[in-house]
Amino acid sequence: MFMIFVRRVAALCALAIACIAIGTGLARATEPDKLRIAVILSAGIESGWDGTLIQALERVKAKKPHGLEITWKYTDPLWGDDAGDAMRLFAESGQYDIIWAHSTYSDQVKKLKDEFPDIMFVVVGSGNEGLGGNQYWIYKRVHEPAYLLGTIAGKMTKSNKLGAVGTFPADDVNDEINAFFDGAKAVNPKIERSVAFIESWYDPAKAAEYTSAQIATGADLIFQLTGNFKPCEEAKILCFGNFQDQHSFSPSTVLSSTVAQWDPDVNHVIDAWWAHKAEGKPYAGNTEKHWFSMKDGGSAMAPYGELESKLPENVRSDVDALKAKIMAGTFEVPVDVSDPKAH
């Protein structure tokens, strides 16, 4: 009887080991090796907002997180029902794992997320609603490099008058304009500010009109968020670009720019998707704003390029020192999303 018992125990142990081995093999077999992303664009890849995302996807793809082969398809700029229809087509095709809607699209996602619980939906920026679950809400702030640009402007202005031309007065536009002027005021309390919004994502004529008006009233450095540097060229003054390195747009005027870097955001989303697909963890999308700071790689200040010679050495060294403090976490640029006013 004892030998029979021993043989039964041995057989059960062998079966258990075999099941564990099979289970481990199945777990490994279910680990995905491909990630397919559908991207809903809001402005087009020529814009800083959309173009910097595609650049980040390229960089992340090259690093192959989790060994994934990453591919994506992006749309022409879409809004409203057109964007919602495109999301549904992507979801129903069964060919995409993540639908990244690169702006204010939570209204459209709300109609789809529960119907397609295995798909991760991503929305970006202000105006969205934090839905949680399989919707992830990405935020992008470039207020820290904007503060550095303001520091440069405050030190270099001769008129003590600075201008900023924005698109819309929104949370993630106001923050960088306010930070720009805060940086300028910190080094030059005499600063006077002029702020204008063109109330459009793209209107070169209105951007030129408002920029020229600021220059006419004495502004000798402009934070240009609308991409039209012609008035700066005509007035032979320096400007600062926004959201991407815009020096090539106007090599004679764009001294530096704020730069959006989506790499940590993309990796954050991919990690959450991987945990769901490979480890069975439920989606846990955030319901509050979430962004990565400058020290976390979420934003940067563009290099000066050939205009570096126009920057006095003491200004450059002061800005470098302040940047080092921001990167070390020993200096915090406040987030001020109040409506910027001229004063």
Side-chain angles (χ1 to χ4, degrees):
M1 277 298 286
F2 178 74
M3 291 304 297
I4 293 172
F5 173 76
V6 169
R7 283 196 296 270
R8 286 185 64 190
V9 169
L12 288 171
C13 288
L15 180 59
I17 292 169
C19 288
I20 292 170
I22 291 170
T24 303
L26 286 173
R28 288 176 179 163
T30 59
E31 288 187 355
D33 57 5
K34 293 181 176 61
L35 171 60
R36 301 153 303 176
I37 306 173
V39 183
I40 309 292
L41 296 183
S42 60
I45 60 171
E46 299 81 10
S47 73
W49 177 261
D50 287 339
T52 50
L53 171 65
I54 301 303
Q55 292 163 15
L57 285 171
E58 292 283 2
R59 290 190 295 267
V60 172
K61 174 184 176 179
K63 294 183 178 179
K64 297 194 72 170
H66 303 286
L68 291 166
E69 177 187 322
I70 302 173
T71 57
W72 58 86
K73 178 182 178 63
Y74 59 80
T75 67
D76 291 332
L78 296 173
W79 287 97
D81 291 341
D82 291 338
D85 290 344
M87 290 184 210
R88 177 167 289 281
L89 286 171
F90 284 133
E92 289 179 345
S93 74
Q95 297 178 16
Y96 296 93
D97 306 294
I98 296 174
I99 296 178
W100 186 301
H102 198 54
S103 192
T104 309
Y105 296 104
S106 57
D107 286 349
Q108 289 74 35
V109 170
K110 184 184 290 188
K111 299 173 183 177
L112 295 170
K113 63 182 289 290
D114 294 337
E115 187 178 344
F116 300 96
D118 201 41
I119 293 177
M120 174 188 281
F121 293 87
V122 179
V123 295
V124 183
S126 61
N128 281 297
E129 178 185 356
L131 302 174
N134 57 327
Q135 178 194 274
Y136 284 69
W137 184 11
I138 299 300
Y139 225 75
K140 182 56 61 185
R141 295 202 186 277
V142 295
H143 68 297
E144 292 164 307
Y147 188 95
L148 293 173
L149 299 184
T151 301
I152 295 172
K155 286 176 174 289
M156 291 187 65
T157 179
K158 293 180 173 59
S159 68
N160 291 326
K161 295 181 178 180
L162 305 178
V165 182
T167 49
F168 290 95
D171 177 292
D172 46 3
V173 175
N174 296 349
D175 64 341
E176 53 179 316
I177 292 177
N178 287 325
F180 174 79
F181 287 115
D182 286 348
K185 278 269 192 182
V187 298
N188 184 351
K190 297 178 181 178
I191 287 297
E192 296 178 25
R193 54 195 265 179
S194 179
V195 181
F197 293 96
I198 66 171
E199 298 289 344
S200 172
W201 296 120
Y202 183 74
D203 190 334
K206 191 175 283 189
E209 176 189 347
Y210 288 3
T211 304
S212 296
Q214 292 185 347
I215 294 171
T217 59
D220 59 354
L221 289 137
I222 304 286
F223 185 21
Q224 179 57 270
L225 288 76
T226 59
N228 191 336
F229 301 101
K230 287 295 182 185
C232 298
E233 293 172 0
E234 293 166 359
K236 294 182 169 54
I237 67 170
L238 295 175
C239 286
F240 300 99
N242 185 54
F243 236 74
Q244 62 181 324
D245 186 350
Q246 294 186 318
H247 178 73
S248 63
F249 289 27
S250 182
S252 65
T253 65
V254 180
L255 177 60
S256 183
S257 309
T258 64
V259 179
Q261 298 183 154
W262 302 93
D263 307 52
D265 306 279
V266 173
N267 280 313
H268 170 71
V269 164
I270 291 174
D271 287 346
W273 175 82
W274 173 266
H276 175 74
K277 295 296 288 186
E279 301 169 6
K281 293 184 179 178
Y283 285 130
N286 52 304
T287 57
E288 300 295 330
K289 298 182 182 77
H290 174 274
W291 66 86
F292 288 96
S293 67
M294 193 172 176
K295 69 182 178 64
D296 294 326
S299 62
M301 191 179 88
Y304 307 117
E306 61 264 38
L307 291 181
E308 185 170 355
S309 60
K310 292 186 177 291
L311 200 63
E313 176 59 37
N314 67 308
V315 175
R316 187 164 58 248
S317 61
D318 287 349
V319 172
D320 286 346
L322 182 56
K323 178 182 175 183
K325 290 181 179 179
I326 292 173
M327 297 299 283
T330 57
F331 181 83
E332 182 179 351
V333 177
V335 176
D336 179 0
V337 300
S338 62
D339 191 6
K341 302 292 185 182
H343 57 74

